[in-house]
Amino acid sequence: LDLMEEFRPLVVDSVVVELLRRNQLSKASFRAEQGRGGFLLTHEGRKVVLAAFEERMLQLFSYPATGKRVSYRRALYLQAQAVSRSMQDGVVDYMPVRWRI
């Protein structure tokens, strides 16, 4: 979950905000969850969110650890490998991705 937090703002949060800003998600994209007081995405709403998420995961950016352009999907994989190496080696040399605004 900590690894997810590095990428959440630019992958998940920005996708949702952009969908709402462009009115690609609306009240009709959700349905009430009976007996629980919550809301769930409709089938069509899920399709919209997943398509936008997949598009974002393919987007290239400059990966700070190498300076090379990689997709967000590849960067998540590289970061997971770095976490794994840190845990296996017992050396805390993991460098999180830090985003500039």
Side-chain angles (χ1 to χ4, degrees):
L1 290 175
D2 289 340
L3 181 61
M4 179 202 69
E5 289 302 320
E6 291 178 41
F7 291 88
R8 184 181 47 78
L10 284 179
V11 175
V12 178
D13 295 353
S14 65
V15 166
V16 171
V17 168
E18 191 65 18
L19 288 173
L20 292 169
R21 191 178 71 74
R22 291 184 176 177
N23 293 320
Q24 290 177 291
L25 282 180
S26 66
K27 204 173 184 179
S29 302
F30 300 90
R31 64 177 174 82
E33 187 178 21
Q34 297 301 320
R36 294 196 170 175
F39 292 88
L40 299 173
L41 282 167
T42 63
H43 178 71
E44 290 302 314
R46 280 192 304 275
K47 284 174 39 177
V48 168
V49 171
L50 288 174
F53 174 76
E54 283 300 319
E55 186 177 321
R56 176 55 58 96
M57 291 300 284
L58 294 173
Q59 185 177 345
L60 300 178
F61 76 105
S62 181
Y63 181 58
T66 63
K68 294 182 181 179
R69 290 183 57 78
V70 300
S71 68
Y72 284 105
R73 179 169 280 117
R74 179 74 177 150
L76 276 163
Y77 177 77
L78 294 171
Q79 287 299 98
Q81 284 184 319
V83 167
S84 178
R85 276 193 306 276
S86 269
M87 290 190 301
Q88 289 174 0
D89 297 345
V91 178
V92 181
D93 61 350
Y94 176 76
M95 180 63 90
V97 173
R98 295 181 186 187
W99 305 104
R100 292 181 293 156
I101 297 177

